[in-house]
Amino acid sequence: MTKWDLVLTGGHAATLRDDAPGYGEIETAAVAISDGKIAWIGPENDLPAGEAAETRSLSGRWLTPALIDCHTHLIFGGNRALEFEQRLEGASYEEIATAGGGILSTVKATRDASPDELLQAALPRAQALRAEGVATVEIKTGYGLDIDNELKMLEVARWLGDASGLDVRRTLLAAHTVPPEFSGRPDDYIEMITDELLPQVASGKLADAVDAYCESIAFSAPQIAQLFRKAQNLGLPVKLHADQLSDGGGAELAAFFEALSADHLEYTSVSGVKAMAKAGTVAVLLPGAFLTLGETQLPPVAVLRENGVPVAIGSDCNPGTSPLCSLRTAMILGSRLFGLTPLECLAGVTREAARALGLLADRGTLEVDKRADIAVWDIDHPRDLTYWMGTPQLAELLLADST
């Protein structure tokens, strides 16, 4: 007789499977879990005979895959609330930067902070995500901008996973901006990352991917291409902050390197979308940054749909442009600001977010042999998750490591 660790009955499941229509709904579903994986899922009446160490009735609640935040900058020193206030009072970005503000103020605060101080500051942010049903989170570096401090951030990200219970995927974003000691020498900084930092990260298996910021205020396509070639030679997948403030060909660059994702994309052209579609690169939309910056150029959602580009949503939690520790709010903003449907929003923080991290074979849908990372919701239907604002609807978060 088949033996299971846990069987869930009496609920409804939104599987989000690629091969199922809509939400992939199963009314009155049962889920059997063994060794942290889904062993069986389907209508409760079809549950095969077996023996469960524990059986639990869900009393009509809904199951979805646990949420995945595929784009965050959770670890940083200090905050920039004062700058936010100053901008609202009329100060320009240049005035704030001249006074020591902007991203370099976060770099200084991050460099000055001890690893434990960074961990303690980031932990409430991670816990806020988990409280909303997030099980997997991607965390980028990019506020260290030298070898020691970028490695420090990667180590803190690992600790944060242990402390929060989240599965943390680490991304090296050393090519975030040019640090003060390389002012006016971006090529030299890219060379340092390429020749010194990347080999250490790869040999120590310290990161899961490499990211860069392709923009006129950051790095050019040729500079990033140099970095990406080295990353891929070292076996590290790549992703890209692309076309946020202008169409700099970021989407095409990401597609050329078959990047896991291209993120932001407000100014991406039709040709960039077509290149992403051909390469299988996921579009990650970040409505928290769009809202905070007061942007008006919408990402090309209709063109992404027409070309079959998968669309994920991230919180982009960071101190400068998206002080958002709520993936549920990012879903809601994705619908209100970008016109995404509730189904697109839920898929965007489950299935497509998993795809954006290269993890779809392991999670992001409710299917046999995938991780038993499951969110249990007190809702009438999965569309409610994009409809209700400020309502705590998570009943329980089941994690593979604890089932």
Side-chain angles (χ1 to χ4, degrees):
M1 181 178 290
T2 303
K3 293 187 177 182
W4 299 302
D5 298 326
L6 173 64
V7 172
L8 304 173
T9 62
H12 313 296
T15 67
L16 277 299
R17 289 172 53 140
D18 261 327
D19 59 355
Y23 295 88
E25 297 174 36
I26 303 174
E27 294 287 340
T28 315
V31 182
I33 298 169
S34 291
D35 299 323
K37 291 182 178 290
I38 297 173
W40 189 90
I41 181 170
E44 186 176 331
N45 288 340
D46 296 339
L47 180 67
E51 181 180 320
E54 180 185 358
T55 299
R56 192 182 310 166
S57 174
L58 298 175
S59 303
R61 293 184 175 94
W62 275 89
L63 305 176
T64 73
L67 308 188
I68 298 169
D69 196 340
C70 63
H71 185 128
T72 85
H73 307 252
L74 282 185
I75 296 169
F76 53 85
N79 75 60
R80 281 147 66 186
L82 175 60
E83 295 177 24
F84 174 71
E85 183 176 51
Q86 290 171 335
R87 286 201 304 272
L88 292 176
E89 291 173 346
S92 68
Y93 179 85
E94 290 76 13
E95 291 169 337
I96 292 170
T98 300
I103 188 173
L104 292 182
S105 67
T106 300
V107 172
K108 182 180 186 307
T110 302
R111 288 178 172 184
D112 290 345
S114 70
D116 186 64
E117 287 171 335
L118 291 175
L119 174 64
Q120 295 307 316
L123 187 55
R125 297 189 277 268
Q127 291 170 331
L129 290 172
R130 177 169 171 165
E132 288 192 330
V134 173
T136 301
V137 62
E138 184 250 25
I139 300 177
K140 303 177 190 295
T141 66
Y143 296 123
L145 305 188
D146 61 25
I147 291 175
D148 289 345
N149 284 290
E150 287 290 298
L151 294 178
K152 177 176 74 174
M153 291 189 71
L154 289 170
E155 181 72 357
V156 172
R158 183 176 68 82
W159 294 351
L160 185 60
D162 295 338
S164 66
L166 295 172
D167 185 32
V168 170
R169 315 303 292 185
R170 297 181 288 176
T171 296
L172 181 72
L173 180 58
H176 196 188
T177 192
V178 179
E181 56 271 26
F182 282 88
S183 180
R185 298 186 295 126
D187 288 341
D188 292 342
Y189 180 57
I190 291 293
E191 185 174 340
M192 184 275 287
I193 299 172
T194 302
D195 294 346
E196 301 180 48
L197 180 56
L198 270 181
Q200 289 189 49
V201 169
S203 64
K205 301 186 186 311
L206 305 179
D208 301 291
V210 172
D211 198 348
Y213 188 20
C214 184
E215 195 57 72
S216 59
I217 61 172
F219 297 98
S220 68
Q223 289 165 339
I224 291 170
Q226 176 186 342
L227 176 68
F228 279 6
R229 280 192 292 269
K230 183 59 174 281
Q232 291 187 329
N233 287 339
L234 292 170
L236 288 165
V238 299
K239 53 182 60 181
L240 188 66
H241 284 59
D243 304 335
Q244 179 185 12
L245 305 176
S246 62
D247 181 8
E252 289 94 336
L253 178 65
F256 179 83
F257 285 96
E258 297 183 336
L260 290 172
S261 70
D263 303 26
H264 286 291
L265 302 178
E266 280 84 344
Y267 286 84
T268 294
S269 64
V270 173
S271 63
V273 171
K274 291 182 180 297
M276 289 174 61
K278 185 175 181 181
T281 297
V282 177
V284 177
L285 304 186
L286 304 168
F290 185 94
L291 176 73
T292 301
L293 291 173
E295 295 181 13
T296 56
Q297 176 74 29
L298 292 167
V301 170
V303 181
L304 292 168
R305 286 186 186 125
E306 290 166 8
N307 287 274
V309 176
V311 174
I313 299 172
S315 71
D316 194 18
C317 178
N318 77 78
T321 62
S322 186
L324 176 63
C325 298
S326 170
L327 193 57
R328 287 286 309 281
T329 300
M331 293 170 63
I332 291 164
L333 293 176
S335 69
R336 272 51 167 199
L337 298 178
F338 297 161
L340 297 174
T341 68
L343 173 56
E344 288 172 326
C345 290
L346 182 55
V349 297
T350 54
R351 183 182 67 220
E352 308 310 346
R355 201 188 306 271
L357 296 178
L359 297 175
L360 185 57
D362 184 53
R363 67 198 74 185
T365 62
L366 299 182
E367 297 185 65
V368 170
D369 291 333
K370 289 200 175 183
R371 287 171 60 100
D373 288 344
I374 301 172
V376 183
W377 305 97
D378 280 318
I379 54 177
D380 294 325
H381 189 273
R383 67 175 68 92
D384 293 3
L385 297 173
T386 306
Y387 172 67
W388 286 105
M389 294 184 281
T391 303
Q393 295 164 308
L394 183 72
E396 185 178 4
L397 180 62
L398 301 175
L399 300 177
D401 294 337
S402 59
T403 53

